[in-house]
Structures are given as structure tokens and as C-alpha cells.
Amino acid sequence: MHDAALPALPAPQVCEHARLSRDARFDGLFYTAVKTTGIYCRPVCPAPAPKASNVVYYPHPAAAEAAGFRPCLRCRPELSPSEGAWRRGDATVARALKLIDDGALADAPLAKLARRVDTGERHLRRLFVEHLGAPPSGVHGTRRLLFAKQLLTETRLPITEIALASGFGSLRRFNAAFRDAYGLAPRDLRRSPQAHADDALTLRLAYRPPYDLPGMLAFLRDRSLPGVEVVGDASYQRVIAPLDGASAPGWLRVSAWPGGEPALKLELHNAPPSRLLEIVNRLRRMFDLDADPIAIASALSTSERMRPLLEANPGVRLPSGWDGFEIAVRAILGQQISVAAARTLAARIGARFGQAVPADFGAPGLSHLFPTPDALAEADLGEIGLPRARAEAVRTVARALLDGRVDFRPERTLDDFAARWVALPGIGPWTAQYIAMRALGHPDAFPAEDLALQRVASVDGAVLTAKQLRTVADAWRPWRAYTVIHLWRDAAARNAAARAAARTSATP
């Protein structure tokens, strides 16, 4: 995706219709600022709609705040999904936003961020202002303050810890920035706290509907790592490694937010404040919460093959993973074997080489952390039944991550990422693209060598070669990874139907 292809602010008539109808599909795609009140809102704000003559639309909260507007305390813009396609793909703005999410501007100048995305500082600032209405520093600052606002409203964390969690080096700086931006002290949001009273820290993670949570959980459940993850019909749980390797690990649960609100419920146990923003960002990527289903469906619905799949499953998202190394190991194990067989091998690796959690951990089914690259770099994987070539590929990847030959850095383009990975012995194009899809959440990753895709991708039922499949998939750019999920799901449904038919025909 090139910078010129990035979406602009929706047309004024679209924004007007969306805010008047409170259309949640546009949540986070624009913000409504009201000139008479000095407040900016989400399209879904339940407050009475202001007159059109008093409304100004902005593409990003930072743009509204730079113009002097404050966030609405009723609809709470900090809960909006992020900017959809602006955070996906290889465009300069998308890659820079991912780096900002990772804290690239917390302790480094804009010039360094610009170098990491291969552009000049002035050009990067211009791109941000053109597409988001605010410079990178404004986006970074607004992001920190809105996350702090969510923590102040939804948790009982001390304000000092909230300042740390939202990236401020001191309480004094946090108080000053909050007061300058919002005209009130952080403690003023605590007058009527909505925080939950139990031991878990609970946060709301919004998305744009439709969202197929059962389908997402089914995908993750089939590929889950026993002891590291527990995936049920209604929730996802996993253990979280401690930052320092010495303190106790934590754990989390993700489920639907009660009442049908378009959001997921995140419950965190024993997570240090300094990791909260990182954890939220990981989960937003993992569950693809910032996707823009309207844009994706609009692009893919022109395909005769994809149109019926989109209509049958409108809320399909791209399931990513919590940790890149976990996904890479899982991808190597899955080469040319079934999903279930790869899961069995992954379970053995985790149980044998992963660090056990304390006996009083408090999360049934979670027993150990997945092993780190250090733990597997020289591990004897043959003892758990892993074939020699595949065991060496796992060790090679672990060593390559340790010495920097490969990584999961968000500024990598898809081509650069794949080229680095296929240079490793035992890593082919299918594995590299699968890792890009599931570890990075890259929307255009496409494992064309996948046999299931080759069997179901054509309109006429013909089995395609990898080269033919890539040609067909060119029409699905820049959302090819979403077609992979749709097609895998269709292939699984066909296989299930065939098995059912075979059982029926075999019954006397």
C-alpha cells in the first residue's frame, strides 16, 4: 500500500449520515467536533446531535485536540478503535504509526523515527498532517493522554502508576500535560469512578462491527498452545511472561463485552503498569480490532470468488498471535502436516522447555510460559519426536532472532521481512508469509504455496499452482491475508461436509 492509497477523511455527507445514525462501523474513522461546546466526539456519541453548521470533522483525535477541542466525557473517544488502514500495510504512515505504538517517540526524536521508515523528517511530518491532521508528535501525545484517560476512568490504579503506564516519565509532567490538554486534573476523573472492584484490571477494547468473535476463537483454539493458552467457546486466556524474568508471570482473559457493545473485555492479572499499553497494543493486533470491515469488504467484494464468502461471514478478521517467536515455531512445526499434529508437537515443546508458573498461579489450564529463543537455540528437540530437519530449523530461527538476522520490527515491509526469513535454512516462502500474516498481522501476507488455498481459490474449482494462485490473488491486494482466512474457512467447511456425506453413505 502506497501513501497515496491511504484513506482520507470520509466524505462530509458520509460523516454526516454516520453521526446522525450513530453508525458504529465508522467509529474511529472520523471525529465530530462541536464548535459551540469545544468538545469532540465519536460518531456513536449518545448525546443529542448538534446542528450541522456547528460541526467540524477530523480524521484523528490529535487533529481535534490541536484545534483546541477536548474529548467528550460521555462517549469517551479514548475507546474508539484506531485508524484502520492507517495502521496496516507498508505505507510510510502505517509503519510509522506502528512504531509510535511501540513507543518510538517516547525516548527518541522524530528524526530517528523518520530514518526507521526510510524517509525524511519533514516529509514524514507532512504525510501525518495530510492523512491524520496532526504531526507525529501530536499523535504520540494524544495517544498517551487518551490511554491515561481510559485508565483513570476504568481502573483503580494509582495516578502515579497511570502516569507510568501511559508513558510519562514523571507525575509532574503527566499532571501538567493532562491539565493543558483537557483543562482538568487527572484526579477530577476519579470523582465518579467506574472501575471494577475485583482483583482483575478490566479494560474495554472497542472494534468496528461486524466482528465474528466465535470464528476468531475457533481459529485460535485449533492452534492454541496447551498450558500457555486456554481457548474456550467464549474466551481466550494466556500466561504473560514477566519483563525481568524474575518476578511472577501474569495472565489475561479476553471475552465479549457484556450487553452487546462492540468491544472485547480484557481482564488482566499481575500485569505491571509499565506493560499495560504494550499488552493492549498486542491484543488489538492479535484480535484485529482496528480493522475497517467496510474498506476490506468494499475491496474484496468485486471478486466473484470472494463475494459469497464475505456475505456468508461478514465479520471475519485476521487472527494474529501474541508472540512472534511462538508463531514462528508453530509455522515451522506446521510445515506439511495437519493443524492438529503441529499443535501436538508445540505442546511437547512448551511442556519440556517452557518455564513453569507458580503453583498458586490462579488460572486453571495455564501451567507454563512458551520457551524463549535462548531456551531453544541449542535444545535437543529430537527427544520430543521432532524430525531432525525441523528441529534444526527451530534452532536456526532461535539463533537468528538472537543475533538479529531476523526480527519482528514493525517498520519492515512485507517484501523485506519475507526476504530475511527465507534466507534461513528450513524457511520457505509459505513459512515466511504465514509468519508475516500471524506474527505481524500483515494484511497482504499470502502463503501461495498452501495446498488448501490452491484447491479452493478458483471460481471454477480448478486446482491452481502457486504461481497461478499469486496471479489470481493480485486482485485481492492489499487485503490478501483476509482472503486466506475466508478460504481456509471455506475449505474446512467443505471437508466437514464431505466427511458427513461419507458417514451418511456408509450407514446401512
Side-chain angles (χ1 to χ4, degrees):
M1 183 188 295
H2 299 293
D3 295 297
L6 284 170
L9 185 72
Q13 60 271 26
V14 174
C15 294
E16 185 70 7
H17 183 271
R19 80 169 178 94
L20 292 176
S21 61
R22 297 183 174 89
D23 193 335
R25 297 176 302 167
F26 290 86
D27 193 10
L29 300 183
F30 70 89
Y31 296 83
T32 301
V34 185
K35 291 182 283 187
T36 52
T37 63
I39 300 295
Y40 74 92
C41 301
R42 302 160 67 185
V44 296
C45 187
K51 294 180 180 179
S53 58
N54 292 328
V55 166
V56 181
Y57 295 114
Y58 291 98
H60 193 278
E65 294 190 11
F69 294 94
R70 301 186 307 278
C72 176
L73 296 179
R74 189 167 180 182
C75 68
R76 300 178 56 203
E78 69 269 17
L79 297 181
S80 290
S82 294
E83 306 82 9
W86 288 324
R87 292 182 183 270
R88 296 291 184 267
D90 292 344
T92 303
V93 171
R95 292 156 58 214
L97 278 169
K98 287 183 283 188
L99 286 167
I100 291 173
D101 279 347
D102 282 356
L105 289 181
D107 53 8
L110 179 59
K112 184 174 181 179
L113 173 64
R115 286 195 298 271
R116 291 181 68 177
V117 294
D118 305 313
T119 192
E121 182 177 350
R122 181 179 300 178
H123 181 60
L124 183 62
R125 187 181 291 109
R126 182 186 65 78
L127 287 174
F128 266 67
V129 171
E130 177 184 348
H131 293 296
L132 302 179
S137 58
V139 170
H140 169 63
T142 298
R143 167 181 169 273
R144 291 195 300 173
L145 288 171
L146 287 178
F147 186 64
K149 186 171 178 290
Q150 181 178 9
L151 295 178
L152 286 164
T153 305
E154 295 189 344
T155 78
R156 297 182 182 276
L157 284 175
I159 292 178
T160 302
E161 293 187 1
I162 289 175
L164 175 64
S166 51
F168 289 88
S170 73
L171 180 60
R172 181 183 60 80
R173 286 211 302 251
F174 172 57
N175 285 331
F178 203 91
R179 188 181 293 276
D180 288 346
Y182 302 146
L184 73 167
R187 66 176 180 274
D188 293 337
L189 288 179
R190 284 275 166 91
R191 289 175 178 170
S192 300
Q194 301 175 15
H196 295 256
D198 58 20
D199 292 335
L201 187 151
T202 302
L203 293 174
R204 194 175 337 201
L205 307 179
Y207 57 78
R208 300 177 189 89
Y211 189 93
D212 181 13
L213 180 58
M216 171 68 76
L217 292 175
F219 185 97
L220 295 175
R221 183 166 55 250
D222 288 344
R223 295 157 179 82
S224 62
L225 298 164
V228 177
E229 303 168 300
V230 175
V231 188
D233 293 335
S235 67
Y236 170 89
Q237 295 179 201
R238 75 161 291 124
V239 63
I240 310 172
L243 272 179
D244 54 13
S247 58
W251 63 281
L252 60 83
R253 178 189 291 116
V254 176
S255 57
W257 192 267
E261 181 177 338
L264 300 183
K265 180 181 180 181
L266 167 61
E267 299 166 88
L268 281 167
H269 300 260
N270 198 35
S274 60
R275 293 199 68 189
L276 292 182
L277 189 53
E278 173 217 335
I279 290 169
V280 167
N281 286 336
R282 282 193 186 212
L283 289 172
R284 296 202 67 85
R285 173 185 49 76
M286 182 175 179
F287 285 84
D288 200 16
L289 299 181
D290 297 318
D292 180 357
I294 295 178
I296 296 167
S298 176
L300 296 181
S301 61
T302 59
S303 163
E304 182 181 353
R305 179 67 184 96
M306 296 308 304
R307 194 179 307 117
L309 302 182
L310 291 163
E311 292 171 355
N313 301 292
V316 168
R317 298 295 177 95
L318 178 58
S320 185
W322 173 261
D323 177 75
F325 182 56
E326 283 182 15
I327 294 296
V329 172
R330 180 67 177 70
I332 294 168
L333 299 179
Q335 293 170 350
Q336 300 179 339
I337 63 173
S338 69
V339 170
R343 184 172 181 263
T344 298
L345 291 173
R348 292 176 185 172
I349 288 178
R352 171 64 180 83
F353 299 101
Q355 175 188 335
V357 302
D360 59 350
F361 194 55
L366 299 179
S367 58
H368 56 269
L369 298 162
F370 192 78
T372 63
D374 283 298
L376 295 186
E378 305 299 334
D380 180 7
L381 299 172
E383 66 181 64
I384 61 167
L386 202 60
R388 181 180 301 175
R390 209 157 297 170
E392 185 54 34
V394 170
R395 288 190 290 266
T396 296
V397 165
R399 291 191 289 261
L401 283 166
L402 293 172
D403 64 28
R405 282 176 288 162
V406 294
D407 52 52
F408 302 101
R409 291 167 59 177
E411 68 266 35
R412 299 271 185 230
T413 64
L414 178 59
D415 288 345
D416 179 26
F417 179 88
R420 290 171 180 271
W421 281 83
V422 297
L424 300 179
I427 304 296
W430 180 91
T431 307
Q433 292 290 327
Y434 182 90
I435 295 171
M437 185 175 73
R438 301 248 11 252
L440 301 182
H442 198 291
D444 205 36
F446 193 77
E449 293 74 19
D450 190 88
L451 297 179
L453 296 180
Q454 293 172 8
R455 285 194 288 264
V456 300
S458 68
V459 175
D460 59 8
V463 178
L464 305 176
T465 65
K467 182 178 180 180
Q468 291 169 331
L469 180 55
R470 287 192 191 92
T471 300
V472 169
D474 277 342
W476 301 333
R477 287 181 177 271
W479 309 113
R480 293 184 302 175
Y482 289 88
T483 70
V484 173
I485 304 303
H486 275 288
L487 291 169
W488 276 348
R489 189 167 180 167
D490 187 50
R494 293 186 187 192
N495 290 339
R499 289 193 297 269
R503 287 194 299 269
T504 302
S505 62
T507 302

